[in-house]
Amino acid sequence: QVQLVESGGGLVQAGGSLRLSCAVSGSIFSINAMGWYRQAPGKQRELVAVTSSGSTPNYANSVKGRFTISRDNYKNTVYLQMNSLKPEDTAVYYCYAAVMPSRGSYYSPNWGQGTQVTVSS
């Protein structure tokens, strides 16, 4: 069993910043991709940012230049620094991690419970 716990969401004014974090715990042999997705009411879930070992991060066009994803492999934690926030960034943000729980097993997708980000105009 693997658990992902997000934190850092909240209410912020347009132009402000938030820093999300997601800690992965439980049975972990290795972690490949880690990322953030978001879903606004009435809209489909979309990729915000994703990072894998040995590659540069990928970002949605709507957040390029404003958001930065990073990870601390020693702490099994991924972060999302969000700057210059806009009202259209309002959504529930979900942490994602592809985790191999034990040697010889397979990578499986794992999701956090989500954290609400609300940007007021």
Side-chain angles (χ1 to χ4, degrees):
Q1 61 281 1
V2 176
Q3 300 87 41
L4 281 68
V5 180
E6 304 105 327
S7 63
L11 175 64
V12 65
Q13 293 181 323
S17 298
L18 286 173
R19 183 173 181 258
L20 306 182
S21 64
C22 173
V24 183
S25 63
S27 181
I28 303 171
F29 181 78
S30 67
I31 302 176
N32 193 345
M34 303 184 78
W36 294 91
Y37 293 73
R38 68 185 182 187
Q39 187 168 22
K43 296 185 178 180
Q44 295 183 335
R45 185 173 60 187
E46 65 174 349
L47 173 69
V48 178
V50 63
T51 182
S52 299
S53 297
S55 64
T56 58
N58 293 321
Y59 297 93
N61 288 332
S62 60
V63 307
K64 286 182 178 178
R66 300 188 297 119
F67 291 9
T68 302
I69 188 171
S70 61
R71 62 193 288 178
D72 185 337
N73 292 324
Y74 294 102
K75 297 181 178 180
N76 294 324
T77 301
V78 63
Y79 306 91
L80 185 68
Q81 179 66 45
M82 304 184 293
N83 298 326
S84 302
L85 283 162
K86 304 175 181 179
E88 52 262 44
D89 294 318
T90 296
V92 177
Y93 285 70
Y94 296 93
C95 178
Y96 167 86
V99 180
M100 180 184 293
S102 62
R103 187 169 186 171
S105 63
Y106 302 97
Y107 284 106
S108 299
N110 294 271
W111 296 91
Q113 293 296 115
T115 184
Q116 177 70 47
V117 172
T118 302
V119 184
S120 62
S121 60

